[in-house]
Amino acid sequence: MFRSVLYVHWKQVHLGLIPLMVAAFSLPLLSVQGLGGNGGVTSFNDTSLAIIQGLQVWLPFFSALAAASGVVIALSSWNWDHQLNHVYALSLPVPRWRYALMKMGAGAVLTLFPAVALWVGAHLAAASIVLPEGLHAYPNALAIRFLATILLTYAILFAMAAGTVRTTMWVTGTGILTLFILGLIGNDLLAGQFEVLRGTHILEWALAKLDWVPGPLEIFLGNWRLIDV
Amino acid sequence: MSRLVCALLAGAILLAAPGAGAGQSPGVPDRDSLIRRLDSLTVTLAAAREAADQARARRLREEAEARHAVTDTVFVGPLRIITPSGQGETAREIFEEAWRDYDALIAESPALDSTWFVFQWPAASDPVFVPAGEKVRDLSYRIVTTPGRVKETVRTNIGAVLATDLAGTTLAEWFNQPVVLPRKLDMVYRTLATSATSSVRSCAAGTLVACRSILGLGLDDDPSDEWYTAEERQEFVTDYVERMSEAGRIQAVEPDVLSCATGGDTDACDRVVHGWTGPRIRPPLRRAADSRNLLLWIALERGGREAWARLRASAGMTPEEALAFASGAEDRALLSEWHARITAARPDAQAGLPRSLAVVLGWALAMVFFTARSTRWRLG
């Protein structure tokens, strides 16, 4: 039965998941484009520092892609159930909790797809450049972090989407929009008029709070570098 | 002179003029009547002048009162901050946070004592009143920014004012930047550990003599032999020749330089590099600002609150002597702590990953629990 649930979920999500897998595979390769040394003993062009700084701009894309993958898998998992008023689920000879667990497990298996794509891409990217002395590639650590981030996003949104997908999208979308609107318009444009908006910047505050342990979003702030010392 | 006075004078001249005034005879008035008229006008003129002076004084008083109404003065430690009224609390909070770094280290700073910080965020449309003849550091933010960036800039500006205390010392020439606690030591470590130059990597590995050299301490006039190996010196020259070639100026390159770059003549390379002075011999350490700041900071921490005063009195000493004098410690001890702090900031790609995985697992299980318990099936 698990295989059926997995198959149904795959059918539901594959059109959204395949582009994400392609992106996950390509991202590490893109991030090392134009970087790398010539393997010589010394270089006064500071190749190592150039690699570290060159990778810096790509770091947010890794966590954003992981979050996007989690969102797509989670929202698609309950889609058919809600559309068909849960008739299919009710017709199955299993209790609801077991059905929910199977669905969640199926989604968790699907999170492996983009993670494996990134792992392969990261290994290829690391192999494609000559790393100067002192630098090392960490494709496995990056892939594990990527997988954990997808799983986390997926688990949170899966639980929310068990209610309704529409509400989940509204809550999540409104939350993110509010954060940006308050941060960019509220803080930056209205700070001249209101002292209270000057002391605390909503976006800055939110980013600082991501670091809170055991907060769920701490994983987003880890070391996402494919190449480091 | 005010308009009122001008008008009165004009009126007086008109009245005094021949033929002016209603009912006057067309004949030339006699001398005595003119004198009487002028005398009467002098009294009026004096009254008008007094009224004008009072009006001017009233206007100046109102302007002064208005200035005081829009300006606040905030004191944080030795810092004096002038800010538009209504921004006082923001200024206090930001400067207090910035000063916290220095509070335990700086007992007295003449530069800070003689400087007014003008803080406006966002900048007010009216100019802020500043005491005449004082040193002013303007921190008026007209652009959109976040509190984090403002705090960082305030910290840098305090450090920049502090650094002027060292003017005239050799340490100032060596240091030449704002005195701030470097916060990105992981990047300093990356710079050390990944440098293409062996002296820098040697420092990263713990050779304090190399650290001393790349920090620019205890150097003679030609530090190239200390900074670079013979092979690196040759590469340095090759790099220069390549850049000249790309710029189409290969003809301007001296024969010795070409011989070093192309023939690998190490003697020629040494002659070239030793002949180069100043900016052509690039110091091997990148992010040197953070590295030097850290060393200075360690010296201040070790020396206590009087260390800054000792640094100010270090004119005539070499930078390493000044640091040792201020800290009361051997420069080797300072370098050792400097190295230890940078090494401790070594970034680890896998650091925190097990903890993050445990946190993720915990949250995922919590979500599983919530999902399994809630239902829309409503079966009764």
Side-chain angles (χ1 to χ4, degrees):
Chain A
M1 188 175 172
F2 177 76
R3 285 176 63 185
S4 305
V5 173
L6 178 61
Y7 177 67
V8 168
H9 196 169
W10 167 252
K11 275 187 76 174
Q12 174 70 21
V13 77
H14 74 280
L15 285 179
L17 198 57
I18 288 172
L20 288 169
M21 287 165 63
V22 173
F25 175 78
S26 314
L27 189 55
L29 293 164
L30 281 174
S31 68
V32 300
Q33 278 296 305
L35 303 178
N38 54 11
V41 181
T42 53
S43 165
F44 287 91
N45 295 322
D46 286 321
T47 311
S48 306
L49 212 54
I51 290 177
I52 287 173
Q53 287 167 347
L55 281 172
Q56 185 83 30
V57 292
W58 291 94
L59 299 185
F61 292 104
F62 285 96
S63 50
L65 183 61
S69 304
V71 169
V72 167
I73 296 171
L75 295 186
S76 61
S77 61
W78 291 103
N79 215 9
W80 280 8
D81 293 78
H82 293 322
Q83 277 178 11
L84 302 175
N85 291 322
H86 301 270
V87 172
Y88 170 68
L90 284 166
S91 67
L92 297 172
V94 289
R96 198 266 179 190
W97 65 265
R98 198 169 158 202
Y99 177 70
L101 282 184
M102 273 194 286
K103 278 190 88 65
M104 194 165 203
V109 169
L110 291 176
T111 61
L112 289 170
F113 285 53
V116 169
L118 181 115
W119 180 71
V120 174
H123 271 283
L124 285 177
S128 70
I129 59 171
V130 177
L131 288 178
E133 194 178 329
L135 286 185
H136 302 94
Y138 298 97
N140 297 337
L142 179 66
I144 291 171
R145 198 176 287 282
F146 191 77
L147 174 63
T149 309
I150 304 177
L151 264 176
L152 176 79
T153 317
Y154 164 70
I156 292 172
L157 288 180
F158 179 85
M160 289 170 72
T164 68
V165 173
R166 189 178 293 173
T167 308
T168 305
M169 289 174 74
W170 268 105
V171 170
T172 313
T174 310
I176 293 171
L177 268 180
T178 308
L179 205 63
F180 275 91
I181 288 170
L182 280 179
L184 297 179
I185 299 174
N187 276 120
D188 298 340
L189 299 183
L190 300 180
Q193 278 70 42
F194 304 103
E195 169 103 15
V196 68
L197 292 173
R198 226 172 284 147
T200 305
H201 194 279
I202 306 289
L203 268 181
E204 206 175 60
W205 173 85
L207 282 172
K209 291 298 169 195
L210 281 182
D211 205 14
W212 170 65
V213 176
L217 304 177
E218 178 254 354
I219 185 108
F220 283 91
L221 291 187
N223 189 344
W224 285 84
R225 289 173 191 275
L226 170 61
I227 294 164
D228 206 341
V229 288
Chain B
M1 192 178 290
S2 73
R3 284 181 193 169
L4 179 60
V5 175
C6 292
L8 283 169
L9 279 174
I13 292 164
L14 280 172
L15 284 170
Q24 191 173 355
S25 66
V28 178
D30 59 29
R31 189 168 174 273
D32 291 342
S33 69
L34 278 176
I35 289 171
R36 278 197 301 275
R37 280 186 188 174
L38 281 173
D39 285 346
S40 68
L41 285 172
T42 309
V43 177
T44 311
L45 179 63
R49 276 184 174 152
E50 190 180 336
D53 287 345
Q54 283 174 1
R56 185 167 174 271
R58 190 167 54 245
R59 200 185 70 240
L60 287 174
R61 195 166 53 245
E62 283 170 0
E63 281 179 6
E65 282 169 2
R67 267 204 305 270
H68 285 299
V70 298
T71 304
D72 255 352
T73 306
V74 176
F75 296 94
V76 175
L79 309 175
R80 300 177 298 174
I81 305 119
I82 302 172
T83 183
S85 178
Q87 296 192 11
E89 273 314 301
T90 307
R92 180 181 299 283
E93 184 191 320
I94 288 175
F95 276 80
E96 273 181 351
E97 193 174 325
W99 180 247
R100 221 167 281 149
D101 280 351
Y102 302 96
D103 196 26
L105 302 178
I106 311 290
E108 191 193 359
S109 161
L112 286 180
D113 289 344
S114 62
T115 302
W116 288 89
F117 290 88
V118 175
F119 177 81
Q120 299 185 75
W121 181 42
S125 51
D126 295 327
V128 172
F129 171 75
V130 177
E134 298 277 0
K135 281 188 203 163
V136 171
R137 195 94 188 170
D138 193 2
L139 297 168
S140 301
Y141 296 92
R142 292 177 200 286
I143 53 165
V144 171
T145 187
T146 64
R149 287 186 198 146
V150 172
K151 284 171 190 167
E152 200 53 46
T153 315
V154 165
R155 197 175 286 125
T156 308
N157 273 275
I158 293 173
V161 173
L162 261 179
T164 61
D165 267 343
L166 304 176
T169 63
T170 322
L171 188 75
E173 288 168 26
W174 171 79
F175 192 66
N176 196 25
Q177 60 184 321
V179 181
V180 287
L181 173 65
R183 293 173 192 281
K184 292 187 174 173
L185 290 185
D186 58 331
M187 281 310 290
V188 176
Y189 180 86
R190 285 190 176 102
T191 313
L192 286 182
T194 63
S195 173
T197 313
S198 55
S199 60
V200 181
R201 285 204 309 277
S202 173
C203 168
T207 311
L208 295 184
V209 177
C211 296
R212 195 169 189 265
S213 165
I214 62 166
L215 278 166
L217 295 171
L219 296 174
D220 55 23
D221 291 341
D222 182 6
S224 55
D225 283 354
E226 280 190 58
W227 283 344
Y228 300 109
T229 61
E231 194 182 12
E232 287 167 348
R233 288 199 294 274
Q234 187 189 348
E235 180 147 345
F236 206 95
V237 177
T238 310
D239 190 52
Y240 166 73
V241 170
E242 278 173 9
R243 278 187 282 117
M244 290 294 276
S245 176
E246 282 167 13
R249 296 178 57 206
I250 194 72
Q251 299 87 347
V253 175
E254 301 89 341
D256 251 4
V257 175
L258 279 177
S259 158
C260 162
T262 56
D265 179 352
T266 50
D267 288 340
C269 291
D270 284 347
R271 277 197 303 278
V272 170
V273 172
H274 292 158
W276 283 353
T277 52
R280 285 172 82 179
I281 297 292
R282 199 167 53 184
L285 181 61
R286 304 286 173 268
R287 295 188 82 91
D290 282 345
S291 303
R292 289 179 179 181
N293 241 321
L294 178 62
L295 189 64
L296 181 74
W297 205 267
I298 290 169
L300 291 176
E301 283 177 353
R302 286 206 169 205
R305 284 172 64 83
E306 295 308 315
W308 188 250
R310 289 197 290 275
L311 274 186
R312 283 191 284 117
S314 67
M317 295 184 193
T318 61
E320 56 273 21
E321 285 169 350
L323 291 172
F325 175 58
S327 64
E330 293 287 318
D331 65 341
R332 191 176 171 77
L334 296 178
L335 286 168
S336 178
E337 185 170 345
W338 175 86
H339 182 267
R341 286 205 200 178
I342 291 175
T343 310
R346 179 182 198 265
D348 183 351
Q350 295 170 38
L353 193 53
R355 185 189 67 179
S356 296
L357 291 178
V359 170
V360 165
L361 189 65
W363 278 95
L365 287 176
M367 294 301 126
V368 168
F369 176 74
F370 289 132
T371 311
R373 283 195 45 96
S374 69
T375 177
R376 296 188 77 220
W377 290 3
R378 311 292 178 224
L379 295 177

